[in-house]
Amino acid sequence: MRTLWLALAGVFACVGTALAQTGDCTEAAALVHADAGLSRAAPAIASRHELKVLVAGSASSILAGPGGTRAAYPVTLQSALSKRLPGVAVSVVNTAKPRQTAAEMLASFGQVLAEQKPDLVIWQTGTVDAMRAIDVDQFRAALEKGVDQLRAGGADVMLMNMQYSPRTESMIAADPYAEIMRGVALREEIPIFDRLAVMKAWNDEGTFDLSTTTKNSEMAEQVHVCIGRLLADLVVEAVDFAKEAKQGK
Amino acid sequence: MPRLDLFRGIALWLIFLDHIPFNVVNWVTIRNYGFSDAAEIFVFISGYTAAFVYGRAMRERGPIAAGARILKRGWQVYVAHVFLFVIYLAEISYVGAKFDNPLFAEEFNLFGFLRSPDVILTQALVLKFKPVNMDVLPLYIVLLLSFPPLLWSLLRSPNLALLGSGILYVVARKFGWNLPAFPAGKWYFNPFAWQFLFVFGAWCALGGAQQVASLIKSRTVLVLSVAYLLFAMVMTLAGHFPRMHQLIPTWIDRLVNPVDKTNLDPLRLLHFAILALVTVRFIPRDWPYLKWSGFRPAIICGEHSLEIFCLGIFLSFAGHFLLVEISNRAWMQILVSLAGIVIMVVVAWIMSWYKKLDARGPKSLPPQPAAGRPLAGDAA
């Protein structure tokens, strides 16, 4: 009996440390802050008690392999947001498809807006554009057009840039595209989730060793859980930002 | 020309530092404090030296001989570019074969192109496929190929040639002329736009600098220049700090941003021209400190610019590799950056030594007549 208790205690200790480890990833939280508000999501939460989020993106919003989407960050986003916004019906729909540039995603926005009527669209992009070395002006133009279109369709927009991938960073010029995304976010006054900076911080701090080689998707899933949580924090912060801005007026 | 070599050497170091992704030492490089960066310095000084060296050759030996030497130089740069491409292929093949992680399934699609070497090698040889950080040499090759007729017209009528180049710059920007790239898009350094900076450098070397001497000495121009440099610094820093960005009036922001590098935005061009003007004002050609031994390392790097440029690109690949393999801590980044610069200096020093050896060589053989070949030309 005693051994059983000890074993159980051991198991709890392990689970505890595992949880603590995934909890550690919030140390990059300082890099996630809202410099703009979500002026449409805020009233949707306040009056309708509802928040419909749509994730538009490429393969890094889906985990590789069968059932990958079930472990990808949009799932954590939904559970974390529900916890942070009690009494609000939160739904997150993931429409990400591999190998899509910003311009290609843009083409599907009209249909998605009409079908889903989201309050907030999280637009993850930049990776495929950087890999294909799409002309930076065209990339910027696609972003601006997409943001306009989503806003015209009644949704708030939040941008998310690329992953930090140390093994390929000298082969994929992520930086200029990330800069453009930060620039568009600043000028259009929309929040941006700087995934590149967050993952870079995790790698530097040793939270995750992103240059490890593995076939196992355990670390990938943990990274996605962390992204989902921080992303939920950003959504809540941006909603508060919009509320404060409105009260300020 | 120790002053030119000094600044070119420094530009080569900055290019090396900027090419290591996320390097903390990047914060010292000029691109964070103004619109223009080391690429402008490199292209301008390359134009200046090319005109200085081949201009004399063209005056003394005629356009055909000088043109042939320019084309030979272009060929050397092409070979250097292909050499760098092979190193790039080696790196990417190694990483592609060794590394796997489901988290980066998307990014690793990049290695897919290794399955079609027929496409990728041909596209690289015709300069359409240019891996990350390998855009400057193709620009330089195109500029050298078109330089013989340009130099000829610059020698006949410098101002008219500069005007022609300026018109091409404006028209190309207006109509979006650029060369196509593979697999998509256009050249990162638009040769139709960047040629203007190269020609401007050449024009300065062929007497243009004297024409603007009064501008260089003017106090009003200096005050305006400093004001512009400060403005550029504030605008560039604001791009990095959202809180600072909020303090900038929207109309100024919309007027300035985005500052386009591909087509050499006029703001960048002006920023570089002003930097050059202020530098020339405070550091004259015969500045006594140019002889100071502390500047020697940069000057000898500048004297072997093509070789040291290529070495710098290679070292930035290698440095990145070490950062990923060993440690990406700030101290390691500083160490890798410093080590890279030391290697560049040592190699430049060895090359100077070889050159001295070559120059001394024929003299030690007694029967050789005094027909030593001129060395200066190939140092551009």
Side-chain angles (χ1 to χ4, degrees):
Chain A
M1 195 64 194
R2 205 193 165 104
T3 29
L4 183 69
W5 282 119
L6 271 177
L8 267 179
V11 168
F12 278 119
C14 286
V15 171
T17 16
L19 281 178
Q21 262 167 7
T22 36
D24 275 351
C25 59
T26 47
E27 72 192 9
L31 293 166
V32 181
H33 47 80
D35 294 301
L38 297 174
S39 55
R40 280 143 174 173
I45 294 168
S47 56
R48 282 193 279 125
H49 304 290
E50 185 183 37
L51 180 63
K52 284 197 279 186
V53 183
L54 190 135
V55 175
S58 58
S60 59
S61 292
I62 317 163
L63 274 170
T69 3
R70 266 179 278 137
Y73 71 82
V75 175
T76 320
L77 174 67
Q78 170 153 359
S79 57
L81 268 182
S82 306
K83 222 177 273 169
R84 297 283 309 265
L85 301 168
V88 178
V90 179
S91 70
V92 177
V93 177
N94 187 357
T95 63
K97 265 185 242 152
R99 297 201 175 91
Q100 285 205 304
T101 61
E104 285 163 358
M105 287 185 222
L106 181 67
S108 65
F109 281 170
Q111 195 194 347
V112 164
L113 280 170
E115 283 172 8
Q116 309 279 347
K117 297 194 177 47
D119 303 302
L120 167 63
V121 174
I122 296 173
W123 190 6
Q124 172 267 309
T125 188
T127 315
V128 181
D129 295 79
M131 286 170 66
R132 290 203 209 149
I134 298 292
D135 185 65
V136 285
D137 291 328
Q138 283 174 11
F139 176 63
R140 185 185 298 113
L143 279 179
E144 284 167 354
K145 202 173 155 197
V147 169
D148 284 350
Q149 201 180 343
L150 292 171
R151 280 178 162 170
D156 274 323
V157 190
M158 184 183 275
L159 293 179
M160 182 194 279
N161 59 17
M162 46 288 270
Q163 301 197 93
Y164 174 64
S165 162
R167 292 283 171 176
T168 55
E169 68 178 339
S170 65
M171 299 154 200
I172 303 174
D175 249 2
Y177 296 85
E179 277 297 305
I180 288 174
M181 291 185 74
R182 291 181 195 123
V184 169
L186 274 177
R187 265 178 290 287
E188 302 282 339
E189 293 182 15
I190 50 182
I192 178 164
F193 184 82
D194 197 342
R195 188 165 55 157
L196 189 64
V198 167
M199 288 179 69
K200 170 89 172 81
W202 287 336
N203 192 55
D204 288 354
E205 301 298 321
T207 315
F208 295 109
D209 181 3
L210 299 178
S211 52
T212 357
T213 183
T214 170
K215 293 224 177 286
N216 193 327
S217 63
E218 191 186 344
M219 185 184 82
E221 284 170 16
Q222 281 179 8
V223 167
H224 274 252
V225 165
C226 287
I227 290 173
R229 283 191 198 160
L230 287 180
L231 191 57
D233 292 346
L234 181 64
V235 171
V236 173
E237 201 188 319
V239 166
D240 291 342
F241 189 104
K243 277 192 224 154
E244 280 162 29
K246 206 175 166 194
Q247 282 161 3
K249 270 179 197 164
Chain B
M1 291 183 289
R3 184 176 59 169
L4 274 182
D5 287 330
L6 171 67
F7 286 107
R8 182 150 60 172
I10 293 173
L12 291 168
W13 293 353
L14 297 182
I15 291 174
F16 159 69
L17 293 176
D18 280 338
H19 281 174
I20 303 178
F22 292 103
N23 186 357
V24 286
V25 188
N26 278 349
W27 277 102
V28 306
T29 67
I30 62 167
R31 66 168 176 188
N32 300 302
Y33 305 101
F35 300 136
S36 69
D37 64 25
E40 271 92 348
I41 306 180
F42 187 75
V43 171
F44 174 84
I45 297 185
S46 297
Y48 191 103
T49 349
F52 186 82
V53 173
Y54 301 115
R56 199 169 54 191
M58 200 174 265
R59 277 199 210 101
E60 286 169 6
R61 300 209 205 154
I64 303 287
R69 274 179 58 195
I70 297 172
L71 294 183
K72 184 185 162 203
R73 184 67 180 166
W75 170 250
Q76 288 173 343
V77 180
Y78 180 75
V79 171
H81 176 71
V82 172
F83 176 63
L84 277 182
F85 181 72
V86 173
I87 292 176
Y88 168 83
L89 274 187
E91 187 197 11
I92 194 174
S93 316
Y94 177 84
V95 175
K98 285 258 171 174
F99 188 56
D100 193 16
N101 190 334
L103 183 61
F104 299 113
E106 175 159 47
E107 284 81 359
F108 290 165
N109 279 332
L110 182 77
F111 304 121
F113 81 66
L114 291 172
R115 284 194 289 270
S116 45
D118 53 331
V119 180
I120 213 69
L121 289 175
T122 8
Q123 295 291 351
L125 287 174
V126 297
L127 302 180
K128 277 177 84 178
F129 176 70
K130 296 180 294 304
V132 173
N133 294 343
M134 286 180 50
D135 306 280
V136 179
L137 288 185
L139 170 72
Y140 195 25
I141 293 165
V142 170
L143 291 175
L144 281 174
L145 288 184
S146 51
F147 198 54
L150 240 168
L151 181 61
W152 183 80
S153 50
L154 268 166
L155 286 171
R156 305 211 116 202
S157 165
N159 291 351
L160 215 60
L162 182 68
L163 182 72
S165 161
I167 291 173
L168 177 59
Y169 168 73
V170 172
V171 172
R173 280 183 54 87
K174 172 126 182 67
F175 294 105
W177 294 351
N178 194 347
L179 295 179
F182 178 86
K186 296 163 184 168
W187 277 34
Y188 184 66
F189 288 102
N190 182 350
F192 299 112
W194 281 76
Q195 54 80 26
F196 182 55
L197 189 58
F198 192 77
V199 175
F200 178 57
W203 177 81
C204 287
L206 299 173
Q210 279 94 320
Q211 290 186 41
V212 291
S214 57
L215 270 182
I216 296 171
K217 290 194 190 102
S218 154
R219 249 195 116 72
T220 329
V221 171
L222 180 67
V223 171
L224 290 175
S225 299
V226 172
Y228 183 78
L229 292 180
L230 284 175
F231 169 71
M233 191 197 259
V234 169
M235 292 305 293
T236 310
L237 284 173
H240 296 292
F241 304 106
R243 312 267 165 201
M244 189 170 163
H245 187 268
Q246 284 162 355
L247 303 175
I248 291 171
T250 316
W251 66 270
I252 295 185
D253 185 53
R254 297 217 177 247
L255 200 68
V256 170
N257 286 313
V259 184
D260 178 14
K261 185 167 182 181
T262 291
N263 297 310
L264 187 61
D265 198 293
L267 290 170
R268 287 184 73 111
L269 189 61
L270 184 64
H271 186 259
F272 172 76
I274 286 177
L275 267 185
L277 191 129
V278 173
T279 310
V280 168
R281 184 187 169 109
F282 291 107
I283 305 182
R285 192 188 300 255
D286 49 2
W287 197 45
Y289 293 100
L290 287 173
K291 294 203 179 70
W292 179 51
S293 56
F295 285 145
R296 269 315 284 165
I299 292 174
I300 57 171
C301 284
E303 284 169 353
H304 303 277
S305 65
L306 177 63
E307 293 84 354
I308 300 303
F309 176 85
C310 294
L311 179 68
I313 300 286
F314 166 73
L315 288 173
S316 62
F317 285 155
H320 172 254
F321 194 77
L322 287 178
L323 290 178
V324 172
E325 286 299 327
I326 300 173
S327 161
N328 199 12
R329 294 274 165 180
W331 62 267
M332 183 69 181
Q333 295 176 21
I334 296 169
L335 191 73
V336 163
S337 303
L338 286 179
I341 291 176
V342 169
I343 294 173
M344 287 163 89
V345 173
V346 169
V347 170
W349 181 80
I350 293 173
M351 298 186 85
S352 301
W353 178 75
Y354 264 109
K355 212 164 144 185
K356 267 188 228 147
L357 215 62
D358 281 350
R360 218 183 294 144
K363 281 183 203 157
S364 59
L365 302 168
Q368 283 277 339
R373 63 195 173 85
L375 286 158
D378 294 321

